[in-house]
Amino acid sequence: MKSSIYLFAAAFAVTVAPVAAQTPDFSKVEIKSETLGPGVAVLFGAGGNIGVSHGPDGTVLIDDQFAPLTDKIAKAVADLGGTPVKYLVNTHWHFDHSGGNENLGKAGATIFAHDNVRVRLAAGQNLLGNAVPPASAAALPVVTYAEGLTFHLNGDDIDAVFTGGGHTDGDTVLYWRKANVLHTGDLMMTEAPFPFVDTESGGNAVRLVASLDKVLAMTNAQTKIIPGHGPVTDRAGMQAWRDRIARAVETVRAAKGSGKTLDTFLAANPFKPMDREGAFVNSEGFARAIWASLDAEAHGHGHQH
Ligand SMILES: [Zn+2]
């Protein structure tokens, strides 16, 4: 089990690079923390960024990276002054965000996620050509929701909201109302030229843009935004990310509308200049994902809930 996850992580790293840059020798990974408000922090390590709420009512973790990092993450939480994790929220099922579930579940944390996260974790998945085995019972969310829920603790109200997905079909964003901090999950990645639209997991580029519009509406100019990967950003950063994706979707839509095939579109791929060495997703992967997303919308498979 353990070795298959490692193997899978290695295979994944070949195709998608932030993981490639980070994966590997977990013994060398350092967990760094950045405080974003009283009792609110983000942890950076390997895999998805972790949001933390800590205080008198207990520790809430947003995502948990990889299983071999659980002890280091626990130490980072303790260093912030936090108690052991009481509640855990998965922003989506991808293993670089939920890999610590089994450890934390066994240690007594209650795991929360969108309905589809539990379904996908329980069933096992395919991700970029790799088979991910079904998660163990201890790793599964025990509280699931279709729309969202709110945590009232540590002097704040933290909304967990499903805005319609787009990266997958189970993306949750978290918003601290008082601290004015937002965790986007992988709806956004800073320092990435393209989003990852995981069409195999119900992701859809059209819905991603719609989701980002809803998330933007939850923010103001002072909101601190924790992306799924990369450094903390703000609303202007998210607006630019959203606009770039929206323009790309319209470019592909226009090409399809004019009768182009995917092959002819890719032959003169207009996104190519945005390619970046070592990026998570390249211009061709992005174009293919948008194409598939528009096909799915056209065939009425766009809304699966
Ligand atoms: Zn992801």
Side-chain angles (χ1 to χ4, degrees), residues 12 48 63 91-97 127 167-168 171 185-187 189 196 198 228-229 280:
F12 188 64
D63 288 345
T91 59
H92 60 295
W93 79 266
H94 285 159
F95 65 88
D96 57 326
H97 295 256
L127 181 53
H167 173 63
T168 66
D171 304 296
D186 278 356
L187 294 180
M189 303 178 195
F196 175 33
D198 184 359
H229 299 262
F280 196 76

Side-chain angles (χ1 to χ4, degrees), residues 130-151:
N130 296 277
V132 182
S136 70
L140 296 177
V142 297
V143 180
T144 67
Y145 45 82
E147 309 281 334
L149 49 77
T150 303
F151 294 91

Side-chain angles (χ1 to χ4, degrees), residues 6-236:
Y6 275 96
L7 271 178
F8 175 53
F12 188 64
V14 172
T15 339
V16 286
V19 180
Q22 293 167 359
T23 312
D25 187 351
F26 288 113
S27 70
K28 296 212 168 71
V29 173
E30 245 187 281
I31 307 293
K32 298 201 172 99
S33 69
E34 182 179 336
T35 295
L36 300 177
V40 187
V42 54
L43 303 181
F44 305 99
N49 293 335
I50 296 175
V52 186
S53 166
H54 60 92
D57 303 315
T59 297
V60 186
L61 220 59
I62 316 303
D63 288 345
D64 54 23
Q65 300 190 347
F66 298 95
L69 297 176
T70 301
D71 289 345
K72 289 184 186 182
I73 292 164
K75 166 121 187 0
V77 168
D79 287 347
L80 289 167
T83 48
V85 179
K86 188 173 185 180
Y87 304 123
L88 165 68
V89 183
N90 290 143
T91 59
H92 60 295
W93 79 266
H94 285 159
F95 65 88
D96 57 326
H97 295 256
S98 66
N101 277 21
E102 184 174 32
N103 292 339
L104 289 166
K106 282 183 176 165
T110 303
I111 308 176
F112 294 71
H114 184 270
D115 296 336
N116 291 339
V117 173
R118 184 183 159 92
V119 170
R120 290 191 179 281
L121 282 173
Q125 296 298 313
N126 278 301
L127 181 53
L128 300 168
N130 296 277
V132 182
S136 70
L140 296 177
V142 297
V143 180
T144 67
Y145 45 82
E147 309 281 334
L149 49 77
T150 303
F151 294 91
H152 307 277
L153 38 69
N154 298 336
D156 212 330
D157 303 285
I158 309 167
D159 297 315
V161 187
F162 177 69
T163 55
H167 173 63
T168 66
D169 60 5
D171 304 296
T172 291
V173 303
L174 285 297
Y175 180 64
W176 281 253
R177 292 185 209 167
K178 202 163 164 188
N180 196 13
V181 171
L182 185 90
H183 190 310
T184 70
D186 278 356
L187 294 180
M188 178 169 185
M189 303 178 195
T190 46
E191 296 184 343
F194 306 109
F196 175 33
V197 178
D198 184 359
T199 53
E200 283 182 297
S201 288
N204 184 290
V206 176
R207 251 178 298 142
L208 176 58
V209 173
S211 261
L212 287 168
D213 282 334
K214 286 184 191 161
V215 178
L216 278 163
M218 295 162 67
T219 67
N220 60 34
Q222 282 74 46
T223 308
K224 292 173 183 165
I225 298 178
I226 305 169
H229 299 262
V232 170
T233 184
D234 59 12
R235 186 172 66 177

